[in-house]
Amino acid sequence: MPEIEIDPTTRIEGHHATTLEVEDGRVVRAESEMNMFRGIESITHGRTPSDVPQVTQMVCGVCFTCHRQASILALEDAARRAGVFDGVPVTGRLLRDVMEGLFLMWNHAVHLFVLAGPDYSDAVADTGFDRLDPVEGAGYQTALARQRDLLQAFTEFGGRAPHPLTYAPGGVTADPDEAALTAVREALSGVDEWLGPTEALPEHLERARDGGPVPEQGVGTYDLCCLLLAAADAGADGFGVGPGRFYANGMFYGTGDDSLVFPRGIYDGEALSRPSRDELIEGITEDVSHAWYTDASGGRIDEAPAPDPDPEKADAYSWGKAPRFEGETMETGPLARQIAARSDPFDLRADLGNGVAASSTFNRLAARVQELLATRDHLLRWLDAVDLDAPTKADWTDEFTGTGVGFWGASRGALSHWVRVEDGEVEGYQIVTPTTWNLSPRDADGQPGVFEEAVEGMSVADVSDPVDVMRTVRSFDPCLGCAVHVQSPEGSFETRVEPHAPGGSADGH
Amino acid sequence: MSTERHRPVETARPTERPDFLELVREREAGAVVDERADAIRAALSTATRGGLDVVWIQGQSCTGCTVSLLQSEYPAIEGVLSEFREQSSFHTTLMSETGTDAMNAISTDPDVLVVEGAIPTEIPRAATLGTDERGKRKPVVDWVIELGERADVVLAVGTCAAYGGLPAAGRHDSRRGEVGTDPTGARGLQFDGEEPGGVFGPDFEAGSGLPVVNVPGCPAHPEHVLLTLATILNGHEPDLDALHRPLPLFGPLVHDDCELREQYEQGEFADDPGDDGCLYEAGCAGVHAYCDDSVRLRNGGTAICRDVGAPCIGCVEPAFWDRFTPFYEKREDRGDAGLDEPSIMRSDDDAPTWEMRAVSAVVACLCVLIAAPALPVAAALSALSRWLGDGEPISWRDSDLTEA
């Protein structure tokens, strides 16, 4: 039985390894391994609450805003319940939304154009679509320039990227002036022009079907349409199918009341529900039967101690725990958010994919495209709503006792931080990341993680070149820094990139 | 090293190639990268054309330092930077190959080893990469020791690789006034927090005779990484401080050139982050943190933490997670309040960079006065250049490069 091991799973970055067993041209077993542990939850212990978002931010250098945001939301939730905090001023909340929105766009742009996109390019897969050829492709190069614009816009409010220090419990420390706002708008205008109006997507799709020519406006969206067509041609709507259950925390408060712009939801394969905060707290558990932690490290999140390493544990094969909702695996990410919002702009998933609420490698790509454009449209409205004269931060005290949970969306899916504060010191902390939801190991019942399930059963025509497996793992945009590591904003590729082939293309790379 | 990878490099002799870190002393922050982009590109080309072999590996890292480097705003360097990252073959983030190919691409005998992230020494399994000859997961600590002992230069990128950083931060029990051990025994390459030691021990010297060169920061500043790397690739030995940081970049004090310095002089202090005024009373560690980012700024010169009301957290300093916390506490209530504050004077009076230069100038004058007229001018220049930190060229084992 040939056994393929893909390690490191490059271009998604970091210490992640996938082991596949292939029999008769099919994957019969996949093991998703995370190969790094730092113990950041323990490192928060005994610290002052307002220091903790700083510590937990460094979980990940790619998701460098989301962990700070989720950590702050957890603290604010705890302080509100303890009766020492009334809420974040509207402008502070809006500025966080703007930064999170810029970050989301940045992440999706990098993922689609630089990381996942090249898998469907001519140079890699003979698709005839050469604009996303790594390094040389015109679409690839434009995307590199635009992703920098997005982070420069971010830095106007954030101070630096990665690892901005501006989010704080109570709001943001930034107090932007008209000049900063103008600079953000200017940086965004190039991005806006690159993507063009969202409603032009069907025209771009039509043009992409006809093989061009490349339009003058909205060239980024045109490239994305080409990418989706190439992915559909590659049959990506037929592989990488997860359990069909989806979970989204929701994100963005926007200019309205407390309801989220991208709503929270759980789809069980048949019906969509809107779980309350308490239902999520009750329902989410982590299984550690195949993870290098003591058995006591599993169970209900709010009751478990910080992860306690057990590196010699038998049957364990990952540093990632296995999060479950009511005992079941849940796929998370932009696709889950789109499904939770009952949204399928331009029927991309209905027409080109395998159904509005279905799981597949194609649908994950399509949902990222849909979310990128939707976020851009919201962001421009939020910027217009920023009141420069209003306060950006409420008073905050670290002196309280209480517990709280911050539910938020990272670009790659549902993220939650859980905190217990006693007499002004952090006594308990847990982080449940989207990448552990998607790339978890098996649980005690033998239920494979979402990615493992999505890959098991896939046909592998050429064991030396499991390209569809690579496409599938990348479609989750795994941020192993969240669990272990992160994907990079720019890939670095050979001019002539061979299909990703362990054992093949040994041509002196 | 195969001979193929080490074909001759068509560049000037090492001593004629620019020492970018020395140029930094003469120019404003940011100017060197702008003005010398072509020369930096040429320096990186020594690696991409196979003259020098660079390996970049990640331990317990968040990859923020890589992301930071990729945010560099240098169109003139972009192409070669891309290629460079590709060829620093161990850098899993950026490789186009997967699996076996990627592992085969790892040089076991690099000229330059770059490490990002801390190294877990008590739980080696807490960071592994690939497998060993028996098919078992190979700990990064083993990779680092193997490769580091064969490398001519070892470069630690970011505070984690340099001093242990976040993974090495302690678990606190502040009620008992104690800081406990970190969860995995995480260390920097040649430091354990402020203490010399780390993975390699205090006496370690790489093949060139240099200790581990540290470019700290959380994340490291992309220009700091680029300038140090390009200087090393050009064969120059950087002038280091006691914490093994290149002095021209890490000599200035954050506080000295801070935009809020005037408020400090006027005694206008903010109570909390985000309030108007100097952030000194709101816990700013800028009086203990040495680096030039108050003028260099971040993300293509856009801004820096203090610009958005956030106090410096001292991220370029060893053990900053434990020394400067609580980050936003009034300084008199915090442990570092008793530390020396070296920069109540004006920056020009006390920054090590300037001090070094003053000493250099005096020594140079003495040399000239004492030297016999027959003394070759070249010798004086050489002494001067040594004092200025210009350094001996690194004697790469690859003679093609040094003699080209």
Side-chain angles (χ1 to χ4, degrees):
Chain A
M1 179 191 303
E3 186 170 293
I4 305 173
E5 187 184 318
I6 303 175
D7 177 9
T9 316
T10 49
R11 250 201 277 156
I12 60 161
E13 137 81 33
H15 306 288
H16 175 257
T18 307
T19 307
L20 306 177
E21 280 173 34
V22 179
E23 213 170 63
D24 301 330
R26 272 188 196 283
V27 177
V28 293
R29 184 180 169 95
E31 284 189 356
S32 167
E33 308 170 22
M34 297 177 187
N35 288 326
M36 187 179 82
F37 168 69
R38 288 168 293 175
I40 286 174
E41 292 93 337
S42 308
I43 291 170
T44 65
H45 289 183
R47 291 179 189 264
T48 305
S50 52
D51 276 2
V52 165
Q54 188 68 63
V55 171
T56 60
Q57 171 171 38
M58 270 61 173
V59 165
C60 178
V62 165
C63 316
F64 49 78
T65 67
C66 323
H67 285 281
R68 196 173 176 112
Q69 167 85 344
S71 186
I72 285 170
L73 292 176
L75 288 173
E76 288 170 350
D77 183 46
R80 193 184 292 110
R81 281 160 200 284
V84 296
F85 182 67
D86 291 333
V88 179
V90 172
T91 302
R93 209 172 69 176
L94 202 53
L95 284 171
R96 283 190 201 163
D97 273 356
V98 167
M99 286 187 274
E100 290 294 291
L102 287 166
F103 171 78
L104 192 75
M105 288 181 67
W106 171 75
N107 190 100
H108 285 356
V110 168
H111 176 83
L112 289 165
F113 287 88
V114 184
L115 298 173
D119 280 347
Y120 302 93
S121 67
D122 192 54
V124 172
D126 290 331
T127 54
F129 169 44
D130 58 11
R131 289 184 49 82
L132 288 196
D133 281 1
V135 183
E136 301 274 295
Y140 181 98
Q141 294 200 332
T142 309
L144 286 187
R146 297 289 83 83
Q147 62 94 16
R148 270 199 301 268
D149 292 346
L150 283 163
L151 277 204
Q152 284 195 347
F154 180 95
T155 304
E156 291 290 342
F157 297 153
R160 64 175 186 175
H163 295 328
L165 305 187
T166 189
Y167 299 26
V172 295
T173 61
D175 189 8
D177 54 13
E178 194 60 51
L181 211 54
T182 305
V184 171
R185 285 206 177 91
E186 277 172 11
L188 264 181
S189 67
V191 176
D192 198 33
E193 204 173 297
W194 172 54
L195 294 174
T198 300
E199 55 274 15
L201 187 140
E203 292 164 38
H204 291 305
L205 197 59
E206 211 42 54
R207 188 189 281 254
R209 276 204 180 93
D210 296 342
V214 178
E216 303 224 331
Q217 204 196 12
V219 62
T221 302
Y222 168 78
D223 284 338
L224 290 173
C225 289
C226 295
L227 165 61
L228 291 180
L229 290 177
D233 276 351
D237 56 332
F239 59 75
V241 177
R245 294 180 295 271
F246 296 91
Y247 154 49
N249 276 338
M251 59 193 303
F252 300 129
Y253 296 96
T255 53
D257 51 20
D258 280 348
S259 67
L260 293 163
V261 176
F262 293 172
R264 173 189 294 172
I266 283 190
Y267 180 74
D268 65 6
E270 289 169 5
L272 182 66
S273 61
R274 305 263 178 230
S276 67
R277 169 192 183 275
D278 290 344
E279 284 167 340
L280 283 181
I281 291 172
E282 291 279 326
I284 298 174
T285 55
E286 283 184 316
D287 179 285
V288 294
S289 58
H290 292 81
W292 286 303
Y293 301 104
T294 59
D295 292 344
S297 303
R300 264 182 67 146
I301 316 297
D302 55 343
E303 291 170 359
D308 184 14
D310 181 3
E312 302 306 322
K313 183 171 172 177
D315 296 331
Y317 61 87
S318 180
W319 284 111
K321 294 189 277 186
R324 300 290 185 257
F325 182 75
E326 295 178 348
E328 294 192 303
T329 53
M330 291 282 154
E331 178 173 338
T332 187
L335 177 57
R337 283 195 288 263
Q338 287 287 314
I339 290 170
R342 299 182 192 281
S343 162
D344 182 20
F346 310 110
D347 301 320
L348 290 180
R349 306 196 308 276
D351 291 349
L352 289 171
N354 52 332
V356 176
S359 169
S360 69
T361 297
F362 175 89
N363 274 8
R364 284 187 280 275
L365 274 176
R368 275 199 176 77
V369 172
Q370 292 169 324
E371 194 171 78
L372 170 67
L373 293 170
T375 304
R376 185 269 312 266
D377 295 342
H378 285 299
L379 191 59
L380 295 173
R381 287 194 288 273
W382 298 336
L383 270 177
D384 289 340
V386 170
D387 177 0
L388 291 172
D389 298 325
T392 59
K393 186 172 173 296
D395 286 339
W396 174 261
T397 175
D398 283 325
E399 298 304 320
F400 65 92
T401 295
T403 59
V405 186
F407 293 106
W408 192 245
S411 26
R412 38 197 59 74
L415 169 67
S416 54
H417 282 227
W418 310 56
V419 68
R420 190 173 79 248
V421 179
E422 277 180 33
D423 296 333
E425 282 185 14
V426 171
E427 294 282 302
Y429 207 91
Q430 298 283 355
I431 303 169
V432 186
T433 68
T435 296
T436 55
W437 281 103
N438 286 333
L439 267 67
S440 77
R442 283 165 166 68
D443 57 30
D445 297 333
Q447 182 181 207
V450 171
F451 164 68
E452 290 175 334
E453 180 174 345
V455 174
E456 288 181 0
M458 270 180 76
S459 70
V460 177
D462 177 359
V463 291
S464 72
D465 179 20
V467 64
D468 290 342
V469 174
M470 294 308 301
R471 286 167 164 166
T472 299
V473 66
R474 283 183 193 132
S475 74
F476 288 101
D477 192 13
C479 162
L480 293 187
C482 293
V484 180
H485 255 256
V486 203
Q487 98 331 335
S488 80
E490 302 175 14
S492 170
F493 312 104
E494 296 274 9
T495 308
R496 179 174 58 86
V497 177
E498 303 292 329
H500 307 98
S505 73
D507 58 2
H509 283 196
Chain B
M1 276 181 294
S2 70
T3 47
E4 194 192 354
R5 284 188 76 96
H6 285 261
R7 56 186 179 272
V9 177
E10 323 96 62
T11 44
R13 296 177 65 83
T15 45
E16 290 161 3
R17 296 197 292 259
D19 180 332
F20 302 102
L21 290 171
E22 283 310 307
L23 294 172
V24 166
R25 296 185 196 265
E26 314 294 330
R27 306 286 293 125
E28 283 171 27
V32 175
V33 177
D34 276 350
E35 293 165 3
R36 308 304 297 265
D38 286 347
I40 291 173
R41 190 172 59 207
L44 290 175
S45 299
T46 59
T48 56
R49 285 171 172 190
L52 292 176
D53 197 2
V54 182
V55 163
W56 184 311
I57 90 174
Q58 294 186 310
Q60 291 169 301
S61 93
C62 74
T63 310
C65 293
T66 287
V67 174
S68 180
L69 181 64
L70 298 172
Q71 287 320 308
S72 50
E73 171 82 2
Y74 323 112
I77 306 174
E78 192 167 277
V80 73
L81 196 55
S82 237
E83 231 186 299
F84 171 81
R85 289 190 307 266
E86 160 106 16
Q87 298 207 1
S88 43
S89 52
F90 218 134
H91 198 173
T92 53
T93 317
L94 303 160
M95 283 187 290
S96 59
E97 303 109 322
T98 56
T100 316
D101 267 5
M103 300 306 292
N104 288 344
I106 294 164
S107 165
T108 55
D109 196 11
D111 295 297
V112 181
L113 172 67
V114 185
V115 179
E116 174 181 355
I119 309 298
T121 59
E122 284 168 23
I123 304 183
R125 195 198 277 277
T128 62
L129 186 59
T131 50
D132 63 18
E133 55 283 357
R134 289 169 301 152
K136 293 183 68 174
R137 295 263 160 251
K138 184 161 175 171
V140 169
V141 63
D142 293 348
W143 281 114
V144 163
I145 289 171
E146 260 174 48
L147 299 172
E149 285 175 348
R150 297 178 200 160
D152 281 336
V153 178
V154 180
L155 185 64
V157 167
T159 303
C160 295
Y163 309 121
L166 179 60
R171 288 180 264 211
H172 284 228
D173 188 342
S174 55
R175 288 193 188 85
R176 289 190 294 161
E178 286 176 7
V179 178
T181 55
D182 69 275
T184 61
R187 301 283 180 269
L189 293 184
Q190 209 173 355
F191 282 87
D192 177 11
E194 294 174 275
E195 299 301 318
V199 172
F200 286 117
D203 301 324
F204 172 81
E205 286 180 353
S208 63
L210 278 172
V212 173
V213 176
N214 291 330
V215 184
C218 190
H221 196 298
E223 292 177 12
H224 290 171
V225 178
L226 204 53
L227 291 166
T228 306
L229 202 51
T231 297
I232 286 170
L233 290 170
N234 271 2
H236 299 284
E237 293 195 355
D239 190 13
L240 304 177
D241 70 4
L243 294 165
H244 298 186
R245 303 177 289 199
L247 262 169
L249 305 173
F250 295 92
L253 194 62
V254 165
H255 174 70
D256 284 340
D257 299 310
C258 180
E259 206 177 62
L260 302 171
R261 177 65 188 246
E262 200 174 316
Q263 277 100 315
Y264 172 87
E265 305 285 357
Q266 305 291 326
E268 295 164 11
F269 295 109
D271 284 333
D272 290 301
D275 291 354
D276 290 338
C278 166
L279 294 160
Y280 179 83
E281 291 290 336
C284 186
V287 290
H288 301 305
Y290 287 92
C291 79
D292 61 5
D293 78 354
S294 284
V295 283
R296 192 175 290 281
L297 308 178
R298 291 262 179 170
N299 299 79
T302 306
I304 193 60
C305 311
R306 275 84 63 206
D307 292 339
V308 295
C312 174
I313 58 172
C315 77
V316 292
E317 295 297 320
F320 74 95
W321 293 104
D322 294 319
R323 287 166 70 205
F324 305 133
T325 48
F327 288 123
Y328 308 127
E329 189 155 299
K330 298 247 182 298
R331 297 177 40 73
E332 56 265 31
D333 301 332
R334 202 169 69 187
D336 64 321
L339 299 178
D340 284 345
E341 289 179 10
S343 75
I344 304 305
M345 297 173 294
R346 289 192 52 77
S347 56
D348 290 10
D349 295 334
D350 66 342
T353 307
W354 299 98
E355 203 171 83
M356 287 291 294
R357 294 184 61 206
V359 172
S360 300
V362 170
V363 171
C365 288
L366 285 174
C367 282
V368 170
L369 286 172
I370 293 166
L375 187 72
V377 176
L381 284 177
S382 163
L384 175 64
S385 123
R386 182 68 184 148
W387 271 99
L388 281 169
D390 207 10
E392 296 278 319
I394 294 168
S395 47
W396 303 110
R397 289 157 301 170
D398 178 8
S399 57
D400 285 344
L401 190 77
T402 45
E403 300 304 322

